[in-house]
Amino acid sequence: MNQSSPLHVGRPNIGNLEALWARINDMLDRRWFSNNGPLVQEFEKRISEFLGVKHVVAMCNATVALEIASRALNLHGEVIVPSYTFIATAHALQWQEITPVFCDMDPATHNIDPAKIERLITPKTTGVLGVHVWGRGCDTEAIEEIAVRHNLKVMYDASHGFGCSKGGRMLGSFGECEVFSFHATKFLNCFEGGAVVTNNDGLAEKMRLMRNFGFQGFDNVIYLGVNGKMSEVHAAMGLTNLEAVEEIIAINRRNYGAYREGLADVAGISVIDYDPSERNNYQYVVIEVDPEVSSSNRDEIVEALHAENVIARKYFWPGCHKMEPYRSLQPNAGLLLPETERIAARVIVLPTGQTVEVETVARVCEIIRDAATK
Ligand code: T4K
């Protein structure tokens, strides 16, 4: 096939452009561009209604939101996290000199395996930071049960999970708080953006102070804080895209179905499942390559795709524990992460979203089929 222009994973989805320009023009007329402006307030209100969560604290991105949330929760010492996640999850802790202790994944879900959490708990452990990888909810009940027994705090990185549910409940209300990413590549994008959502009044108040240097009114700083604010133009994009979520889910779902169909009988290739009884945003089309069955391994299939200008990605290879500074600080971490290492070497994330037509999906499937069965 050879795409004339590169076909990327994570091409942004965009809602109604007229609505976006109208919001931006109003913002320019108001000359109020940041610092908890009306668009940010409206965005927070709409997200809180959508998720059924009491407080939404919008921020400049999910990485800063993770830092602020973990700090507001007073996490310190060691926090248990999956290694199979985007590096930001681990960095947000390490940045504050909290040690991320890497836990293996459950290969059936790609999420942190609760059965492997307990053996990592030490007297220094203060919390668990789960990640709902690909928007498939963690085993929140099992994690909660362990946390209660060991007096640990639980928070979630729900960066992939906007619009997804677990046990029929929207992601966003599990643990002490949850963090969403609204980066350009995410299901709901604000160009850049993030939010911490929580039902805890005190925690929300603390995070609102922390995202704005600790200011309470003019001239009065009552807390140590940073600049984690979301700007008005980012909120304008978020509000516009929030109005388009059902439309975008329908497109993602259509493409996901087309990939499943196109790869159904390709030996050695499986498309990961989404539980049809839950809500999902279908933002990630993820395949696993079984190197014992497929004629080509994962890396060879990715090379074949790249050669045709399909820029498939190997998220989250090789795992956080194999990246710096963790590779140097914790050289033996991999010994306890066999499933993470096995699955990370098999996964490919494929392009989807508004810019991808079903005919394109069919062609991507052909490249994979040719490479896997040659
Ligand atoms: N936790 C988890 C579990 C996450 O997945 C992430 C972010 C975070 C925390 C942190 O959230 P933020 O602080 O970013 O809000 C990309 C994204 O930059 C990152 O947000 C995302 N996860 C991660 C999974 O993917 P890279 O390093 O792969 O980015 P890059 O530049 O290679 O772009 C990815 C693809 O998207 C490319 O193929 C090009 C395409 N793209 C990207 C942008 C920015 C576009 O087509 N248009 C664009 O505007 O991390």
Side-chain angles (χ1 to χ4, degrees), residues 7-12 60-64 66 85-89 131 157-160 180-186 191-194 284 311 313 315-316:
L7 186 62
H8 285 289
V9 169
R11 266 271 183 267
C60 53
N61 59 56
T63 307
V64 167
L66 285 164
T85 179
F86 189 60
I87 196 70
T89 319
V131 182
D157 178 341
S159 286
H160 301 177
F180 289 98
S181 170
F182 304 127
H183 180 258
T185 57
K186 293 293 184 278
F191 300 115
E192 286 270 7
Y284 298 96
I311 316 303
R313 300 297 296 262
Y315 295 132
F316 292 103

Side-chain angles (χ1 to χ4, degrees), residues 191-213:
F191 300 115
E192 286 270 7
V196 190
V197 308
T198 182
N199 286 317
N200 180 325
D201 300 346
L203 185 66
E205 190 47 40
K206 206 164 162 184
M207 292 188 298
R208 285 188 190 285
L209 288 169
M210 283 177 151
R211 81 168 167 187
N212 187 30
F213 316 101

Side-chain angles (χ1 to χ4, degrees), residues 204-233:
E205 190 47 40
K206 206 164 162 184
M207 292 188 298
R208 285 188 190 285
L209 288 169
M210 283 177 151
R211 81 168 167 187
N212 187 30
F213 316 101
F215 268 108
Q216 189 183 57
F218 293 146
D219 315 318
N220 187 26
V221 171
I222 61 163
Y223 222 86
L224 174 65
V226 290
N227 183 354
K229 296 185 274 30
M230 176 181 273
S231 87
E232 287 289 275
V233 79

Side-chain angles (χ1 to χ4, degrees), residues 38-153:
L39 290 172
V40 165
Q41 289 179 34
E42 187 185 344
F43 182 66
E44 291 183 341
K45 184 166 170 281
R46 294 270 172 89
I47 299 279
S48 119
E49 286 162 2
F50 184 90
L51 298 175
V53 173
K54 210 165 162 193
H55 303 283
V56 175
V57 186
M59 306 222 186
C60 53
N61 59 56
T63 307
V64 167
L66 285 164
E67 288 168 11
I68 289 181
S70 51
R71 195 170 185 121
L73 281 173
N74 191 27
L75 296 183
H76 56 278
E78 295 173 1
V79 169
I80 298 171
V81 283
S83 175
Y84 191 72
T85 179
F86 189 60
I87 196 70
T89 319
H91 276 0
L93 298 170
Q94 186 72 42
W95 193 253
Q96 301 173 79
E97 299 186 359
I98 300 168
T99 302
V101 174
F102 297 114
C103 185
D104 208 4
M105 64 140 89
D106 175 350
T109 63
H110 293 186
N111 284 329
I112 191 166
D113 184 350
K116 294 182 177 170
I117 290 179
E118 224 153 354
R119 66 181 179 191
L120 301 174
I121 296 173
T122 75
K124 291 185 186 159
T125 312
T126 55
V128 178
L129 169 45
V131 182
H132 306 300
V133 178
W134 319 131
R136 300 192 295 185
C138 290
D139 186 346
T140 49
E141 270 178 42
I143 294 171
E144 180 67 25
E145 190 270 321
I146 295 166
V148 168
R149 241 174 330 106
H150 294 271
N151 196 22
L152 303 176
K153 287 179 176 154

